[in-house]
Amino acid sequence: MAYEPSEGLYAGAAFLPTVELMNAKTDPAVFDSLYAKILQNLQGNNVLDAAGNVTKNGMISAIQLPNDAAKKKVYADMAAAISAVLGTRKDVNPGIPARVYLTGNKWHKDVEKFKINAYGMADYNSSDVILFFPPKTYVGISLKKKPMTTAASPTLINNAFSKFIEGPNLTQVRSQLNDHRIKFFAGVIKEACVPGGPLQGIASTKKDIAKLNPNNIQDAKLLWDMKVDRQKGNKIEKIALINLKGENELSRDGLIKKAQAAPSQMSFRNFVNDKLKSTGGRLNPLYSGFLEIMNKPAVSNTLADALLTRVLKLNLLDELNTWKQAEFGFFLTEGVGTVDNNLKPSIGNANMVNIHSVMIAMATLSKQPARMELDKQKTFARDAAKVFFTLYKGKTPVLEIELRYKGSFTAMPQFFAGITPEFKKLIRSGF
DNA sequence: AGCACTAACGCAACCCGGAT
DNA sequence: ATCCGGGTTGCGTTAGTGCT
C-alpha cells in the first residue's frame, strides 16, 4: 500500500500530552511545533513495526516536507491525526499508550495474533495502528480522515462484485453475469466503432464490425476481445478496447485505418460512462443485470449479510482467540481536520465508533431480515455512471452502498459502503 | 509430447485525489 | 460537491519456456 501519512502522524501524535494537542487546535505556532515532535516519536522506539521496518520507514518518508505543497498536505493530515488522537483520549483511554504498532505490511510479533484472515479479507482486522496500554490492553484503530465535520465520510470499504458470487454453487450465476456484461459492452464497442461513433475506423475484427450482433454471444465476444495498442511513455501495450480512454492514447502504429476517421467529439471513456448512466427513471441495462443477480435467492441471502460482516466487522471480536492473553478493542476512527493556505489548522471533533456499540446496535436488529434495495432517489436524481443501494435490516437503513466501475471495464464493478445516519444514531443511542 | 517451473498479466483492495 | 480514476501491492491465473 502507499503509505498513508495520517497513520504515521497519528502514531507519533499518540505520545504527545493532551494539553499540547489541545493547544494545537487554537494556536498555529503550537501546531507547527508539534510536527518535529511527532516525527521524532514516529522514529523512536515506541512505534513498532515488523522486522525490517518497511511500514515505519515508509511512514517516515511519507511525512517529509520537501516543498510547500507537500507541507500543506502533511499538515492537513497532521490536523486530522491530532483530531483522531484527541478522540481516542476522550472515548478510548485518557492516557498515553506505552507502544503503538503499525500494521501496514507485516504485523509485529506482539500483535500478529490479532491479524485475522476471514470473510474473504486477508486483514479482517482492519486496524491501521494498534495501541498498547499495559498490562494487557490493545486497541485497534481503523483510521479515516476528512477535512471538515460537514464533509462526507470516506467509505469504509470497497469490494468487487465478484467477491460476492464466488463458490461452486454459483457457477451458473457467474457465467450468466459474464455473458450479460460482455453483450452489453459489445454493444457499446460496436456503436463506438461504426460510422458516427467516437472510435470509427480505428479497429477491426476478422468479421465486419457493422455485421456483428452484440446480442449473440459469439459475436459479442469478438467485440469484447478487441485489443488496441496504447502508447504509454515509450511503451506500447495492448489493452482491451473497452478500456481505451480516447483516440489520443493510441499508438500511431495501432491505427488500423486513420484516413476517414472523423475526429471524435467525445472521448471514448466519456462515451462508455454515458452508457452506464440511468436516465429517464430507467435503471441502466448493465446494472439492472447486476441487480437481477443480487436478487437471486442464492445470492441475496448472503450478499447483505456478507456486506454487513465485512463493513461493520461484526465478527471481529468473536474471531479473536486471544482473550486469555489480552484485551482487544476496536474503533472506527474518523479524524476531522485540515489546514488553510497559511497552515493554520482547523481541528474538529473526531468520530469514534466502538465496535462493541456496533455489535449492540446490530443485535437489536438481528432478527430482522437483511436486504439490498435500489436507492432510486440517488440513482436517478444524478447523472452518473453508477447505481446506489441501501442495505436494510428490517426497516432500518444500515449501509449506504454505491456500485460503480473504477478505471477498468474488464474488471468487475465495486461496492463502496458506508454507515447510514440512521444507523449511526442507533449506534450512539446504544451507550 | 507432456510436465514443471517461471514470468507476465489481470484483478481486487487498500489508500484517497484531481478535475470540473 | 460530485464524479470517477490513480498508485501501489499482493494474489491467483494464464501464458511462456525449458527440460525430459
Side-chain angles (χ1 to χ4, degrees):
Chain A
M1 152 184 28
Y3 297 100
E4 174 53 31
S6 58
E7 294 170 14
L9 293 161
Y10 177 97
F15 296 100
L16 296 174
T18 303
V19 61
E20 284 193 40
L21 297 170
M22 292 297 290
N23 287 342
K25 287 174 79 166
T26 49
D27 187 338
V30 173
F31 177 75
D32 183 49
S33 75
L34 293 189
Y35 172 79
K37 296 181 182 180
I38 286 173
L39 177 58
Q40 195 179 1
N41 289 341
L42 176 58
Q43 288 167 327
N45 293 329
N46 292 327
V47 175
L48 296 170
D49 185 8
N53 283 329
V54 175
T55 307
K56 181 163 169 163
N57 292 332
M59 291 295 177
I60 290 167
S61 79
I63 68 167
Q64 296 303 311
L65 311 173
N67 55 50
D68 286 352
K71 188 168 184 180
K72 192 185 170 197
K73 281 183 190 160
V74 171
Y75 272 41
D77 273 23
M78 183 163 75
I82 288 171
S83 161
V85 172
L86 284 169
T88 307
R89 296 275 164 85
K90 180 167 166 285
D91 290 347
V92 182
N93 189 317
I96 290 178
R99 296 195 282 273
V100 174
Y101 297 90
L102 304 171
T103 65
N105 294 282
K106 267 189 83 64
W107 290 33
H108 189 279
K109 60 177 171 48
D110 292 355
V111 293
E112 205 177 10
K113 52 183 176 282
F114 302 123
K115 188 171 152 84
I116 296 165
N117 186 328
Y119 308 105
M121 303 173 81
D123 287 327
Y124 185 57
N125 183 345
S126 58
S127 302
D128 294 307
V129 298
I130 296 174
L131 313 176
F132 173 58
F133 299 95
K136 57 172 204 170
T137 300
Y138 293 84
V139 179
I141 299 290
S142 173
L143 188 65
K144 307 277 177 197
K145 67 186 183 198
K146 64 180 189 180
M148 287 161 299
T149 305
T150 52
S153 291
T155 53
L156 292 170
I157 61 158
N158 66 63
N159 264 182
F161 192 94
S162 48
K163 295 297 283 185
F164 298 90
I165 49 169
E166 290 177 333
N169 56 333
L170 294 176
T171 311
Q172 259 199 314
V173 167
R174 284 194 297 275
S175 88
Q176 183 197 338
L177 182 64
N178 238 7
D179 283 3
H180 175 67
R181 70 184 180 123
I182 288 172
K183 286 176 179 174
F184 175 84
F185 283 119
V188 175
I189 292 169
K190 177 176 174 180
E191 194 180 331
C193 289
V194 296
L199 294 182
Q200 179 191 350
I202 67 108
S204 69
T205 71
K206 59 186 178 183
K207 288 195 195 170
D208 180 1
I209 290 176
K211 291 189 179 135
L212 292 172
N213 173 11
N215 292 318
N216 168 304
I217 190 66
Q218 271 77 39
D219 282 7
K221 278 182 175 156
L222 283 178
L223 290 158
W224 171 252
D225 287 338
M226 285 169 78
K227 301 277 195 297
V228 292
D229 287 337
R230 177 174 63 182
Q231 183 111 35
K232 204 172 185 187
N234 293 327
K235 284 195 204 140
I236 293 174
E237 53 192 14
K238 280 225 177 306
I239 62 162
L241 185 146
I242 193 68
N243 284 335
L244 184 74
K245 291 186 188 165
E247 242 181 302
N248 57 313
E249 281 193 325
L250 288 168
S251 135
R252 285 211 63 79
D253 298 337
L255 296 182
I256 286 167
K257 188 184 70 178
K258 184 73 179 165
Q260 297 134 357
S264 62
Q265 295 303 303
M266 177 192 200
S267 82
F268 181 55
R269 179 55 60 99
N270 286 344
F271 180 83
V272 177
N273 277 328
D274 272 358
K275 298 291 180 193
L276 294 176
K277 293 176 179 174
S278 297
T279 51
R282 279 194 46 234
L283 185 62
N284 173 275
L286 178 68
Y287 288 126
S288 102
F290 280 92
L291 183 59
E292 201 177 298
I293 300 288
M294 290 162 63
N295 284 328
K296 284 187 180 294
V299 178
S300 68
N301 289 341
T302 56
L303 173 65
D305 283 328
L307 273 165
L308 287 170
T309 306
R310 289 182 197 181
V311 177
L312 299 178
K313 312 286 174 193
L314 294 176
N315 298 344
L316 176 58
L317 301 185
D318 290 338
E319 289 288 334
L320 289 172
N321 47 18
T322 53
W323 295 103
K324 284 187 182 156
Q325 333 153 36
E327 289 293 317
F328 190 85
F330 181 81
F331 284 75
L332 297 171
T333 302
E334 198 177 78
V336 179
T338 188
V339 293
D340 67 13
N341 284 332
N342 300 317
L343 303 180
K344 180 169 171 289
S346 118
I347 297 174
N349 292 329
N351 296 310
M352 308 289 300
V353 175
N354 188 338
I355 189 78
H356 273 295
S357 308
V358 175
M359 290 167 72
I360 291 166
M362 277 310 288
T364 67
L365 304 173
S366 66
K367 294 206 172 100
Q368 316 269 355
R371 67 176 200 282
M372 300 273 285
E373 204 167 272
L374 182 69
D375 184 333
K376 293 181 178 167
Q377 162 68 27
K378 274 198 199 160
T379 302
F380 298 131
R382 59 180 88 207
D383 192 33
K386 55 188 171 183
V387 290
F388 291 84
F389 299 93
T390 308
L391 196 163
Y392 287 89
K393 272 293 249 186
K395 287 181 178 165
T396 308
V398 178
L399 299 180
E400 306 177 306
I401 296 165
E402 178 184 335
L403 180 68
R404 66 172 172 91
Y405 280 90
K406 218 188 82 56
S408 168
F409 297 112
T410 49
M412 285 290 181
Q414 298 183 339
F415 290 111
F416 293 73
I419 300 175
T420 61
E422 290 89 343
F423 190 62
K424 273 183 194 160
K425 213 191 246 177
L426 190 61
I427 294 169
R428 282 198 205 98
S429 69
F431 279 112

